[in-house]
């Protein structure tokens, strides 16, 4: 992410670019807080309970942002959209969190935090493969840096 941001510093995006960087930085801070809170919870309660607590915490944090869209909830009754919502809930929210908390019991929070880099990496790959975004050398540098950070964070741990 840093490589892409630095490559665009000379561009003419202006305030939108700064706002985008601030939003990404806020997302990184939120993800870091989530990992640390999840690590604390995962060590003290069963995995299913930790997943439930974090889903509740996430819902409480996002509730104020969802209030303007409450009028559109009737659209969720459409079968195809409801099916996608159920699929997403079971995979991204339930299955992934159960696996995440089971893994957090076995690795330090710092190592788990490094692996959150897969989220923007997979998003970038989807943007290139599905949405037709151009893959540039800057993206390649970013992927190399991400891979190096994963190796540095996990390699020394396995040797010690």
């Amino acid at each position: 992410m840093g490589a892409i941001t630095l490559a665009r510093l000379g561009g003419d995006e202006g305030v939108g670019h700064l706002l985008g960087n601030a939003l990404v930085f806020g997302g990184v801070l939120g993800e870091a807080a989530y990992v640390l809170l999840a690590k604390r919870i995962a060590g003290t309660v069963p995995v299913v309970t930790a997943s439930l607590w974090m889903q509740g915490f996430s819902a409480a944090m996002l509730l104020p942002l969802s209030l303007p869209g409450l009028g559109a909830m009737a659209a969720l009754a459409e079968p195809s959209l409801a099916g996608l919502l159920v699929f997403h809930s079971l995979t991204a929210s339930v299955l992934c969190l159960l696996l995440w908390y089971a893994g957090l019991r076995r690795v330090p929070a710092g190592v788990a935090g490094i692996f959150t880099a897969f989220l923007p990496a997979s998003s970038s790959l989807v943007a290139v493969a599905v949405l037709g975004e151009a893959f540039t050398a800057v993206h390649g540098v970013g992927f190399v840096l991400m891979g190096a950070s994963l190796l540095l964070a996990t390699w020394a741990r396995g040797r010690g």
Side-chain angles (χ1 to χ4, degrees):
M1 297 298 290
I4 293 170
T5 299
L6 290 175
R8 293 183 179 167
L9 280 181
D12 57 353
E13 288 97 0
V15 175
H17 184 63
L18 292 175
L19 177 60
N21 285 341
L23 290 171
V24 169
F25 184 68
V28 169
L29 291 178
E31 188 71 26
Y34 188 83
V35 168
L36 294 174
L37 184 59
K39 178 66 176 171
R40 181 169 297 233
I41 288 174
T44 59
V45 297
V47 171
V48 174
T49 305
S51 178
L52 177 68
W53 284 6
M54 290 307 286
Q55 287 295 332
F57 176 73
S58 296
M61 295 295 294
L62 293 174
L63 182 63
L65 300 173
S66 69
L67 292 177
L70 285 180
M73 285 188 60
L76 296 178
E78 181 186 336
S80 62
L81 189 57
L84 287 173
L85 186 61
V86 168
F87 173 76
H88 182 269
S89 298
L90 293 176
T91 56
S93 295
V94 177
L95 179 62
C96 288
L97 283 179
L98 289 174
L99 293 171
W100 179 255
Y101 290 116
L104 278 176
R105 289 178 173 256
R106 294 171 175 79
V107 298
V111 172
I114 293 294
F115 279 89
T116 61
F118 283 116
L119 182 60
S122 62
S123 298
S124 295
L125 290 175
V126 168
V128 170
V130 177
L131 301 177
E133 184 175 317
F135 188 84
T136 66
V138 175
H139 288 92
V141 169
F143 278 102
V144 167
L145 290 173
M146 182 203 67
S149 68
L150 291 173
L151 284 174
L152 288 172
T154 57
W155 187 22
R157 188 110 183 110
R159 296 171 118 208

